[in-house]
Amino acid sequence: MPLWVDLRRGAASAGPMRRRSSRRSSIEAPYYGIRSDRIVWSVQEEEHLRAGVTRFLGSPTIWCDIMREYQFQPGCDNYSLQRKWQQLNRDRGEWASVRQASFVRPASPSRRRADGPDSLEPAPPPPHSQGVLVFSETPPFGVVSPPEAAAALGTSLSCARGVLAEPQLSELRDALVALPKSLAWGNILSRSQSRSKRKIAWLDEDVRARLAPTLTAVDGPNHIAARYLQEDEASMGALQAVCTNALASQLVAPFGMSEPPLAFQPNFQHDDFPLHYDDPMSDGFGRQIVTLNVKEHAVVLIEESLDGSGRRWHFKLAPGDAWALRGYARERCVHGVQFRRLCEPCFTGCRLCRISLNLRCGEYTRAEARRVVSAWNRLEASWASPLRKQS
């Protein structure tokens, strides 16, 4: 799995092709019969394929289910459906909006630290970064160096060290590790994204009633099958026991956040989180976002995308650190998180993953959300391939 997405390079410069892995993903079903690589698809068959993916998204036998329920021409098999779906979404990307470009993967260390079995050495800095960000030691902990980054980012990007200390941090970590995990961090059709998991804990039922439908929207960037969201909500009580309003107040206090907390989103990372922006019209809601680094070290990459500079900066996180996005950094920059690759998906009781806890604060109005998304869509239209949207 690539670490960093080069948003500036199109598919034509994506580098040499790599041999297709013989290893199937969990959503690939075995195919039978003669495989036909040259099939002329009718408009009706393409509509059947789109309808089938929408209907069976989340099923471990998605391609078999589509073949069983819809009529396709002779010679079309499970493999053909998967290839055609990739072709139909090539311009839209791996998710509903992934920018496919060239990747650079630096070596990721796996050496254990001496201070505990669950800790790892910090990862090396990402490539193409102009430098490491330095943050103020006083609230609201905005960027103070390098000067170019401080002028552009200011307090729209903040990082406070040691926001949560022991034993509270260990208690939170153990509670999150014990939770059942069913929601993929990105799209379940992506091998790398589906290994990482997430959960959602609403702090207000009225907010849940308004925003939860956006998570299951078919046209959303990370459409969640309704049954998986229901399974996740079945364990809501255990999650809400640790993700409380008191914890929310503790996280927003260092940054002086003015927006009310809406929901917590724990993330269980098993691979790199590529450069992406949080879509405010879907599962990336929230005008201001505070993220607590609960477990493991990590490196965060920030790119100034919409202003045309494309400058990249990075900073490191240790357990207990928290960082915040708002304003310019929230709406006009993309961010990603570097972490080592874990081949197995996250599971209940998993202690291998990196854990972070997002706190999403404040609602955009419909008009404001459209304004943010439209700016990214205009940038996307000027490039060869789309840009990643995520939560």
Side-chain angles (χ1 to χ4, degrees):
M1 170 61 190
L3 285 182
W4 302 112
V5 181
D6 189 347
L7 299 177
R8 293 298 176 203
R9 298 177 59 185
S13 60
M17 293 181 63
R18 294 183 296 178
R19 181 178 297 176
R20 182 182 177 88
S21 172
S22 61
R23 180 179 176 184
R24 291 194 184 98
S25 71
S26 59
I27 56 98
E28 289 183 20
Y31 56 86
Y32 303 95
I34 300 175
R35 188 178 75 199
S36 174
D37 291 328
R38 299 184 64 85
I39 296 178
V40 179
W41 290 72
S42 67
V43 175
Q44 185 179 20
E45 286 176 323
E46 291 183 1
E47 291 302 319
H48 286 170
L49 179 57
R50 291 189 178 95
V53 170
T54 299
R55 177 179 175 183
F56 297 109
L57 185 62
S59 170
T61 57
I62 180 172
W63 310 117
C64 282
D65 294 339
I66 296 174
M67 284 290 295
R68 183 184 65 251
E69 295 294 328
Y70 297 92
Q71 185 67 37
F72 295 95
Q73 60 187 285
C76 185
D77 53 30
N78 301 349
Y79 180 79
S80 303
L81 296 184
Q82 184 186 18
R83 288 292 301 273
K84 183 61 178 178
W85 180 250
Q86 292 172 347
Q87 292 171 7
L88 290 174
N89 288 272
R90 182 176 298 163
D91 293 336
R92 298 177 69 203
E94 190 182 9
W95 302 332
S97 51
V98 174
R99 176 169 174 78
Q100 194 68 25
S102 60
F103 299 93
V104 180
R105 183 180 180 87
S108 181
S110 59
R111 182 164 56 92
R112 294 286 178 183
R113 285 162 50 97
D115 58 351
D118 290 332
S119 298
L120 290 175
E121 290 289 353
H128 312 305
S129 173
Q130 267 74 24
V132 61
L133 295 176
V134 178
F135 297 91
S136 171
E137 296 182 0
T138 58
F141 304 101
V143 178
V144 295
S145 181
E148 303 89 352
L153 297 169
T155 58
S156 69
L157 174 67
S158 306
C159 182
R161 307 297 179 180
V163 172
L164 215 63
E166 300 293 350
Q168 186 180 6
L169 183 62
S170 294
E171 293 172 356
L172 177 62
R173 179 195 63 207
D174 294 341
L176 295 177
V177 164
L179 292 172
K181 304 162 182 82
S182 57
L183 301 182
W185 179 79
N187 195 303
I188 195 171
L189 294 179
S190 166
R191 295 185 184 184
S192 59
Q193 304 300 327
S194 60
R195 284 196 295 266
S196 299
K197 304 295 182 182
R198 59 174 168 163
K199 296 184 73 66
I200 299 172
W202 304 99
L203 294 175
D204 187 287
E205 280 300 316
D206 292 336
V207 173
R208 175 183 174 277
R210 291 194 302 270
L211 298 181
T214 65
L215 306 183
T216 56
V218 174
D219 59 349
N222 297 312
H223 165 68
I224 301 174
R227 71 173 184 272
Y228 282 104
L229 193 60
Q230 292 171 357
E231 291 176 5
D232 183 71
E233 290 179 347
S235 60
M236 185 72 69
L239 182 56
Q240 289 177 330
V242 293
C243 295
T244 62
N245 284 297
L247 178 60
S249 299
Q250 190 174 356
L251 294 183
V252 301
F255 307 108
M257 293 295 191
S258 58
E259 300 287 347
L262 305 179
F264 281 100
Q265 178 190 316
N267 301 302
F268 305 90
Q269 186 175 357
H270 274 226
D271 210 327
D272 306 297
F273 289 166
L275 287 172
H276 65 279
Y277 75 96
D278 286 23
D279 182 0
M281 298 184 69
S282 185
D283 52 353
F285 62 91
R287 300 175 65 94
Q288 301 172 343
I289 305 171
V290 180
T291 302
L292 174 68
N293 192 49
V294 179
K295 180 176 177 290
E296 304 286 8
H297 292 78
V299 177
V300 178
L301 181 66
I302 302 289
E303 180 183 282
E304 300 176 56
S305 300
L306 282 186
D307 65 356
S309 70
R311 292 177 299 192
R312 291 183 177 181
W313 314 96
H314 72 276
F315 59 96
K316 298 181 180 181
L317 292 173
D321 295 346
W323 59 293
L325 293 169
R326 54 188 156 188
Y328 175 78
R330 163 69 175 95
E331 299 178 357
R332 305 189 65 82
C333 300
V334 291
H335 59 278
V337 183
Q338 177 182 349
F339 186 63
R340 71 189 190 278
R341 179 180 181 181
L342 301 173
C343 295
E344 67 279 1
C346 192
F347 54 89
T348 303
C350 175
R351 289 187 172 273
L352 299 175
C353 54
R354 171 184 171 264
I355 300 177
S356 60
L357 183 63
N358 291 351
L359 176 61
R360 300 187 176 277
C361 305
E363 288 185 73
Y364 283 97
T365 65
R366 193 77 177 169
E368 290 171 336
R370 285 200 186 100
R371 173 183 56 81
V372 174
V373 175
S374 296
W376 287 104
N377 288 342
R378 287 193 297 270
L379 179 65
E380 175 183 324
S382 67
W383 290 347
S385 302
L387 178 68
R388 293 184 188 265
K389 287 188 231 177
Q390 216 278 335
S391 59

